[in-house]
């Protein structure tokens, strides 16, 4: 029986709401991160604080029974998630350093090789052979990256680009490992996010103490407040407000990613990500006075086109076996099962 009009409308509203929620959370995360990283030299301490805020929010929502899964901590599970947590810490750290050294509008270009690296890592670790169209989409995305790096007329940080490439590599590996890690927590993305944030604090704390201790002391005890202009936020105030904001948004992102995957299709998810990338560039121009050159705009456009084409191809390839199965049923005279 076809669904009634009210149900269809509610479904459309639900998808729209989830997409908007995901985009707002993701954009807020990038802009708030850039805002704080412009005024601090302790990006790893900033990342640790974000994880702490997210863990506190997980505990509060678990106490209120808001989450679909009850939180727990099992040492055996924690040990099994060590590879994923290590990759997560590295990826987020490199991502923060990328955002620290490049403009917000160039961030998407600096991390533009995530898709090609993901296809390569998946092929190597999962022994899969990508189709020709998948390779073409990766070539388009790679071309977009090089257009942004070599044809962008504005000065850029090669260190930031290097961190972006490293972040892309780690993110690609993480996306493959996370599939294996889900089986350890019985497929629960909520528990996976909980363990990731909690264990990340344990990994980051000694690194921050040894590597950023002096910067943390300067930040907490207001050493730089004397050079702050009157009427503006001090570095500590910026750090505290930014940590609270990004910690909350990071927690929301855990829910947003889950909802986006469950409620929307892969194509909708990729299109929303593409729109988010364009919006991030425009917000970078507005909030941080970034400059969008023709080369940078072309780079973003090519990367988005290649990413959307990749998603469309993957969708077509996933639907092909279903169509062949239906045709085989029709040819044999069997009635295909209802969808």
């Amino acid at each position: 029986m076809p669904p009634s009009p009210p149900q269809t409308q509610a479904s459309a509203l639900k998808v729209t709401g989830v997409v908007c929620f995901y985009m707002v959370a993701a954009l807020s995360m990038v802009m708030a991160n850039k805002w704080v990283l412009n005024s601090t030299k302790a990006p790893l301490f900033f990342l640790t604080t974000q994880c702490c805020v997210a863990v506190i929010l997980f505990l509060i929502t678990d106490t209120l029974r808001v989450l679909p899964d009850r939180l727990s901590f099992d040492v055996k599970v924690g040990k099994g998630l060590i590879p994923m947590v290590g990759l997560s810490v590295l990826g987020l750290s490199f991502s923060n350093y990328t955002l620290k050294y490049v403009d917000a509008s160039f961030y998407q270009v600096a991390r533009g090789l995530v898709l090609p690296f993901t296809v390569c890592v998946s092929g190597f670790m999962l022994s899969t052979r990508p189709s020709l169209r998948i390779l073409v989409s990766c070539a388009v995305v790679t071309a977009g990256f090089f257009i942004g790096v070599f044809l962008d007329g504005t000065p850029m940080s090669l260190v930031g680009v290097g961190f972006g490439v490293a972040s892309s590599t780690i993110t690609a590996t993480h996306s493959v490992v996370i599939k294996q890690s889900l089986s350890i927590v019985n497929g629960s993305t909520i528990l996976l996010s909980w363990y990731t944030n909690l264990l990340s604090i344990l990994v980051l704390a000694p690194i921050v103490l040894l590597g950023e201790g002096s910067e943390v002391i300067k930040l907490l005890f207001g050493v730089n407040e004397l050079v702050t202009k009157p009427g503006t936020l001090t570095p500590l105030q910026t750090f505290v407000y930014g940590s609270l904001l990004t910690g909350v948004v990071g927690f929301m992102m855990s829910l947003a990613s889950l909802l986006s995957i469950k409620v929307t299709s892969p194509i909708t998810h990729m299109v929303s990500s593409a729109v988010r990338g364009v919006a991030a560039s425009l917000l970078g121009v507005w909030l941080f006075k970034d400059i969008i050159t023709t080369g940078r705009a072309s780079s973003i456009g090519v990367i988005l086109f290649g990413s959307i084409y990749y998603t469309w191809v993957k969708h077509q390839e996933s639907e092909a076996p279903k169509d062949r199965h239906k045709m085989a049923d029709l040819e044999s005279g069997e009635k295909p099962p209802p969808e």
Side-chain angles (χ1 to χ4, degrees), residues 26-88:
L27 284 171
S28 301
M29 193 71 171
V30 174
M31 294 302 122
N33 273 341
K34 183 61 178 176
W35 175 52
V36 176
L37 291 171
N38 280 343
S39 63
T40 182
K41 295 181 180 179
L44 296 184
F45 180 55
F46 178 46
L47 178 59
T48 306
T49 309
Q50 289 176 328
C51 293
C52 289
V53 174
V55 166
I56 292 172
L57 290 174
F58 267 113
L59 293 173
I60 292 174
T61 50
D62 181 61
T63 302
L64 298 176
R65 304 294 176 88
V66 175
L67 300 176
D69 301 312
R70 296 307 308 274
L71 300 183
S72 60
F73 185 80
D74 188 317
V75 175
K76 185 177 180 181
V77 172
K79 289 181 179 179
L81 295 176
I82 286 177
M84 191 214 66
V85 172
L87 289 172
S88 177

Side-chain angles (χ1 to χ4, degrees), residues 82-103:
I82 286 177
M84 191 214 66
V85 172
L87 289 172
S88 177
V89 169
L90 279 177
L92 290 174
S93 299
F94 288 153
S95 180
N96 271 6
Y97 275 109
T98 303
L99 198 55
K100 180 175 177 59
Y101 286 104
V102 303
D103 296 339

Side-chain angles (χ1 to χ4, degrees), residues 69-326:
D69 301 312
R70 296 307 308 274
L71 300 183
S72 60
F73 185 80
D74 188 317
V75 175
K76 185 177 180 181
V77 172
K79 289 181 179 179
L81 295 176
I82 286 177
M84 191 214 66
V85 172
L87 289 172
S88 177
V89 169
L90 279 177
L92 290 174
S93 299
F94 288 153
S95 180
N96 271 6
Y97 275 109
T98 303
L99 198 55
K100 180 175 177 59
Y101 286 104
V102 303
D103 296 339
S105 60
F106 191 75
Y107 177 70
Q108 183 179 0
V109 177
R111 297 186 73 251
L113 294 178
V114 172
L115 175 59
F117 284 160
T118 301
V119 172
C120 292
V121 172
S122 298
F124 177 74
M125 295 183 64
L126 305 178
S127 300
T128 58
R129 178 177 293 182
S131 65
L132 178 60
R133 292 192 298 173
I134 292 294
L135 294 177
V136 169
S137 66
C138 291
V140 172
V141 172
T142 305
F145 170 79
F146 284 111
I147 288 172
V149 172
F150 293 108
L151 299 183
D152 186 20
T154 58
M156 72 178 69
S157 168
L158 292 179
V159 174
V161 174
F163 276 121
V165 174
S167 174
S168 300
T169 307
I170 298 299
T171 301
T173 309
H174 181 260
S175 64
V176 176
V177 173
I178 198 172
K179 295 180 180 180
Q180 301 169 348
S181 301
L182 276 170
S183 61
I184 300 176
V185 291
N186 297 320
S188 172
T189 54
I190 293 293
L191 283 177
L192 190 62
S193 182
W194 154 252
Y195 273 100
T196 300
N197 281 279
L198 185 61
L199 295 177
S200 294
I201 297 173
L202 301 179
V203 173
L204 284 167
I207 299 175
V208 170
L209 185 63
L210 296 175
E212 297 181 348
S214 59
E215 294 297 333
V216 172
I217 292 174
K218 291 179 183 179
L219 179 68
L220 295 180
F221 293 97
V223 175
N224 295 324
E225 288 187 7
L226 295 176
V227 297
T228 303
K229 295 180 180 180
T232 60
L233 294 176
T234 65
L236 179 58
Q237 289 173 325
T238 302
F239 185 90
V240 171
Y241 295 148
S243 296
L244 291 174
L245 176 60
T246 53
V248 171
V249 172
F251 173 74
M252 291 171 58
M253 283 291 291
S254 300
L255 304 179
S257 300
L258 173 64
L259 288 172
S260 183
I261 293 170
K262 281 191 173 182
V263 176
T264 68
S265 66
I267 291 182
T268 303
H269 183 72
M270 180 56 77
V271 170
S272 66
S273 298
V275 174
R276 182 196 69 194
V278 175
S281 300
L282 296 177
L283 284 174
V285 174
W286 179 47
L287 295 175
F288 306 111
K289 311 303 179 185
D290 294 349
I291 299 174
I292 298 290
T293 62
T294 303
R296 185 171 298 188
S298 302
S299 172
I300 294 172
V302 172
I303 290 174
L304 294 181
F305 174 77
S307 300
I308 293 174
Y309 177 64
Y310 167 83
T311 308
W312 180 79
V313 170
K314 288 293 288 183
H315 177 72
Q316 293 293 314
E317 290 180 354
S318 65
E319 290 295 319
K322 299 178 184 178
D323 293 338
R324 286 196 296 267
H325 181 68
K326 290 180 181 179

